[in-house]
Amino acid sequence: MWNVLLSFSGLVALIQLLFLPFFPESPPYLLLQKGDKAGCLKAMKQLWGEDNYHTELDDLMREKAITKGTKIMNVLEVLKEPSVHPQLCTMLLLILSLQLCGLKIFQTANLHESIIPYVALGVAISELISIIFCSSIIDRFGRRILLWGGYLLMALVLVLLETSLLLSERFLWMRYCSVILIFLFIIAYGIGP
């Protein structure tokens, strides 16, 4: 029943993909990252209705003033920071444990048993690379664009993956397409959602 579970994830991604363009950017992102006070107020009104949001805006302005002197760290600086090492270790353990999730799909794709652990390790490495890449570009593009693009790419990859798994009995080379598509799905998930 793994294909039903995979299809359910695709359905949820499709629903979010359809509705995401109608939502505004996050008000804190607009104010703190972009410096767009008018856009922040507009997003608050769009999300929460017509009201007076001076208290929330004042809180965000205080947060902006507090963080004004704070340097925004890039990925390498964060990795060198000792205070985040426990969180990074936890994240790495979770990511590395994800390599076990694709074993059934790889068996369904009729891959040789001897290469499945290496392919699963490649999936975990893809996840790690995509998360590092996402954390590097999220401030530039914003969450909305990354979510929308990630869900769009995930939906496309799921359709192609299901097709390649169905055709893997007829064409032996489709097995390897399935593996590549799983890598792309993981990367799309890490960059977006």
Side-chain angles (χ1 to χ4, degrees):
M1 299 291 291
W2 66 265
N3 52 348
V4 174
L5 184 62
L6 188 63
S7 299
F8 180 73
S9 300
L11 178 66
V12 172
L14 182 63
I15 290 170
Q16 291 181 4
L17 178 66
L18 293 174
F19 288 104
L20 192 61
F22 301 105
F23 288 93
E25 287 284 357
S26 164
Y29 169 77
L30 288 171
L31 185 65
L32 301 175
Q33 298 292 327
K34 297 289 185 182
D36 185 5
K37 186 176 179 181
C40 176
L41 279 172
K42 182 180 175 187
M44 285 179 176
K45 288 180 182 180
Q46 198 173 358
L47 288 170
W48 301 320
E50 293 294 326
D51 201 357
N52 190 353
Y53 299 108
H54 289 293
T55 306
E56 291 85 359
L57 190 61
D58 289 342
D59 289 342
L60 287 174
M61 292 300 282
R62 278 192 294 274
E63 184 177 343
K64 184 176 182 177
I66 290 170
T67 60
K68 188 173 185 174
T70 306
K71 180 184 176 219
I72 296 176
M73 299 168 67
N74 63 29
V75 176
L76 290 176
E77 292 170 338
V78 170
L79 291 174
K80 291 177 183 176
E81 180 64 38
S83 65
V84 298
H85 286 170
Q87 294 90 341
L88 287 174
C89 289
T90 303
M91 183 180 74
L92 283 174
L93 285 173
L94 288 172
I95 290 169
L96 292 176
S97 67
L98 286 175
Q99 66 181 316
L100 301 174
C101 298
L103 291 178
K104 182 64 178 171
I105 295 174
F106 298 143
Q107 289 170 344
T108 304
N110 296 323
L111 293 176
H112 295 290
E113 292 287 326
S114 61
I115 66 167
I116 289 177
Y118 299 108
V119 175
L121 182 62
V123 168
I125 292 170
S126 297
E127 175 84 15
L128 180 63
I129 290 170
S130 66
I131 289 172
I132 291 171
F133 179 68
C134 177
S135 64
S136 301
I137 64 171
I138 194 166
D139 288 334
R140 179 176 294 156
F141 295 107
R143 291 184 183 117
R144 182 178 180 192
I145 291 174
L146 291 181
L147 281 172
W148 196 75
Y151 281 126
L152 182 62
L153 187 59
M154 285 169 58
L156 176 66
V157 168
L158 284 175
V159 169
L160 294 173
L161 179 61
E162 186 65 30
T163 305
S164 71
L165 288 174
L166 291 173
L167 296 175
S168 67
E169 292 294 324
R170 289 187 187 160
F171 307 104
L172 294 177
W173 56 271
M174 282 299 226
R175 301 173 183 180
Y176 302 105
C177 288
S178 299
V179 172
I180 292 169
L181 289 169
I182 290 170
F183 284 167
L184 287 176
F185 181 84
I186 298 295
I187 290 169
Y189 176 78
I191 290 175

